Amino acid sequence: MPAELDESAMLDGAPNRRLFFQIILPLSKPALAALFILDFVATWNEFGIALVLLQRQESWTIPLAVQGFQSQFTTSYGPINAFTLMSVIPVLVVYLMFQRYFVQGAFAGAVKG
């Protein structure tokens, strides 16, 4: 965020609350959306800690369930592929919802010419 935006808002008499909600937060949306997508995918794909902490099968995360399903049905490729595809759908939906913000956040630091 350029400091000039803060200074100009302060000179116009904007309080800190208005400065945050009407200037800083809208300019931060692309970066926050990109952070949300990356954090969601990292949390969704968590395997190591979930493997250590979750002992009951009812509380397994999706990656643990996919691994357990794969070890149970080693030669049934159709159900394994269907289960894997179903586990990808939520991540795909979140990405598609925030795609435009993600692209804006990715190019926010690029050099404009």
Side-chain angles (χ1 to χ4, degrees), residues 72-111:
Q72 192 175 24
F73 300 100
T74 54
T75 58
S76 302
Y77 294 112
I80 291 173
N81 289 338
F83 194 20
T84 304
L85 182 65
M86 286 179 10
S87 71
V88 170
I89 289 173
V91 175
L92 187 62
V93 167
V94 168
Y95 177 74
L96 290 175
M97 285 174 48
F98 292 97
Q99 177 185 11
R100 68 176 164 178
Y101 297 115
F102 185 72
V103 171
Q104 287 175 358
F107 289 119
V111 177

Side-chain angles (χ1 to χ4, degrees), residues 24-36:
I24 295 174
L25 194 60
L27 290 173
S28 300
K29 279 184 185 177
L32 292 174
L35 178 67
F36 175 74

